[in-house]
Amino acid sequence: MKNMHDNIVEINNLEVEIISPDGLLKAVRGLSLNVRRGETHGIVGESGCGKSVMVKSIMRLHDESKVAYSGNIFVNNKNIMDLKIRNMRKLRGKEMAMIFQNPMTSLSPIMTVGEQILEVLTAKSNISKDEAKKRSLEILEKVGITPGERRYKQYPFELSGGLLQRVMIAMSMVNNPELLIADEPTTALDVTIQAQILDLMKSVQKSTGVSIIFITHDLGVIAEMCDRVSIMYAGKIVESGNILDIFDHPAHPYTKALFESKPKGSDRAERMLTIPGAPPSLYDDIPGCSFALRCKYACPKCHSTSPKKIELDKEHWASCHFSREFFEKKELLHDE
């Protein structure tokens, strides 16, 4: 059994409620998750399921005048829920860093690329300006931004989307953090550039040993990048395991539905399956299983009783009343 010291991230029963104009949004609902040191852990789910809210909670990036947390988040064995914001700022960039989906909204348009990397570096390290510039140029070259000296002097609007995402990776890694959170970092890129960025992230992890939380809705990216994956739906993790477990033996009907709705690619005549209905409103309490209204296997119990976590095989678990039957591919799993 793994203990907390094997994990760089340990989340226990996290709940995140956000005050919005439409009421109280219960964005994360009793979520538990662990991320091991040196691994890439994927988080998959539909838009609006709470993925970004969860990872921003790890960084404490929410406006805390409008957000209420409960539960615990340990990073490097420190409960960040107990830290003051000024202490959290010391951790960001140094122990943990984040890559966002759209670099153009994360970079200042009035500062050069070099100035922005320099700012991140000098804010966390007590080094001379000359040494900081040398380190900045080194990190640019390391992430494939060449020639580094010229790119260092350019502004974000002068660079392509792929280069901008490389800049974001450079900024996130310049202080050698132990945890990197990547929130759909390749969604806005074409497939060729996406492949280059994924290869770069794998290379960075291999050379530094950084732990990565990788948020995406693309199961192909998960298969290529991740050691383990957690499936998220309506503010909760509903299934988690290593890649082979999840891909070969999905044990939650939502996981199975995600695989079925993945584009087939070669057979243009075959209609792509979709998941019927819509996720439940996160403004409301959800009786029973949150997936029940969209699940073709649901029975009355599913609508009234919330399913418990069922351990299936080593570290593979799922929260469904019929997870064992799904895992063992018994008759319940067969399509109607």
Side-chain angles (χ1 to χ4, degrees):
M1 184 77 174
K2 297 282 183 181
N3 61 46
M4 187 186 299
H5 298 288
D6 298 307
N7 299 322
I8 190 164
V9 177
E10 183 89 16
I11 302 175
N12 299 316
N13 200 31
L14 176 67
E15 300 201 1
V16 183
E17 297 181 334
I18 302 172
I19 300 171
S20 78
D22 298 317
L24 191 64
L25 179 70
K26 301 170 185 177
V28 177
R29 300 172 175 234
L31 181 147
S32 295
L33 174 74
N34 67 76
V35 179
R36 294 188 195 133
R37 298 181 188 277
E39 80 166 344
T40 299
H41 194 118
I43 308 291
V44 179
E46 293 172 271
S47 296
C49 72
K51 303 187 299 295
S52 293
V53 172
M54 184 264 289
V55 292
K56 286 180 180 178
S57 299
I58 297 173
M59 299 281 290
R60 295 270 300 270
L61 290 176
H62 297 294
D63 178 353
E64 299 196 0
S65 68
K66 298 178 180 178
V67 171
Y69 300 107
S70 65
N72 297 309
I73 301 176
F74 292 90
V75 178
N76 261 341
N77 303 313
K78 294 186 287 285
N79 189 351
I80 66 164
M81 291 293 142
D82 292 338
L83 299 181
K84 297 184 182 299
I85 288 297
R86 67 173 180 272
N87 294 324
M88 273 304 303
R89 292 193 185 105
K90 294 177 183 177
L91 297 184
R92 295 182 196 135
K94 191 68 175 176
E95 290 193 29
M96 62 180 91
M98 192 163 180
I99 305 170
F100 295 94
Q101 180 175 337
N102 187 350
M104 281 302 291
T105 61
S106 304
L107 295 168
S108 170
I110 61 172
M111 294 174 67
T112 66
V113 164
E115 288 171 336
Q116 295 186 63
I117 297 176
L118 206 64
E119 185 176 67
V120 172
L121 182 57
T122 55
K124 304 296 177 180
S125 303
N126 186 23
I127 59 176
S128 68
K129 188 174 181 180
D130 288 344
E131 183 62 28
K133 182 175 180 180
K134 180 182 176 183
R135 170 72 176 145
S136 299
L137 290 171
E138 286 174 353
I139 197 72
L140 284 174
E141 296 278 350
K142 188 173 183 177
V143 300
I145 300 177
T146 56
E149 191 72 54
R150 181 163 70 89
R151 301 300 190 187
Y152 185 91
K153 299 174 183 177
Q154 290 184 306
Y155 291 87
F157 66 84
E158 298 180 273
L159 303 181
S160 67
L163 281 176
L164 287 173
Q165 201 57 284
R166 288 174 185 267
V167 170
M168 291 300 298
I169 294 172
M171 291 176 66
S172 68
M173 294 305 299
V174 73
N175 284 302
N176 297 314
E178 296 179 62
L179 173 66
L180 178 62
I181 299 171
D183 190 1
E184 301 199 43
T186 60
T187 300
L189 305 175
D190 67 54
V191 290
T192 301
I193 303 302
Q194 174 177 292
Q196 293 174 4
I197 296 299
L198 296 179
D199 286 343
L200 171 61
M201 292 187 68
K202 286 189 285 188
S203 175
V204 166
Q205 184 183 49
K206 186 176 180 180
S207 65
T208 65
V210 67
S211 306
I212 300 176
I213 298 176
F214 199 101
I215 308 293
T216 184
H217 58 269
D218 189 327
L219 290 166
V221 170
I222 287 292
E224 181 179 351
M225 286 292 296
C226 299
D227 303 297
R228 292 192 298 152
V229 58
S230 294
I231 310 297
M232 194 165 176
Y233 185 79
K236 293 183 177 182
I237 302 293
V238 297
E239 183 167 7
S240 187
N242 67 45
I243 291 298
L244 290 179
D245 284 338
I246 300 298
F247 277 68
D248 292 347
H249 299 283
H252 194 284
Y254 178 61
T255 308
K256 182 173 183 286
L258 287 177
F259 284 121
E260 290 175 343
S261 62
K262 183 183 176 187
K264 301 297 186 293
S266 58
D267 191 350
R268 294 177 180 273
E270 186 177 350
R271 186 185 179 102
M272 187 178 77
L273 297 175
T274 59
I275 303 175
S281 170
L282 296 183
Y283 289 100
D284 302 326
D285 290 330
I286 303 172
C289 173
S290 57
F291 191 60
L293 290 174
R294 306 175 74 187
C295 180
K296 62 183 177 181
Y297 307 105
C299 68
K301 180 182 180 181
C302 301
H303 294 278
S304 61
T305 305
S306 182
K308 295 181 180 179
K309 175 178 172 180
I310 297 176
E311 302 285 346
L312 299 163
D313 182 29
K314 295 180 181 178
E315 295 167 344
H316 184 190
W317 62 266
S319 295
C320 170
H321 295 302
F322 305 107
S323 290
R324 180 63 61 185
E325 289 86 346
F326 274 83
F327 178 73
E328 296 174 355
K329 298 187 176 180
K330 292 184 177 179
E331 186 175 347
L332 182 67
L333 188 60
H334 296 166
D335 293 331
E336 298 176 350

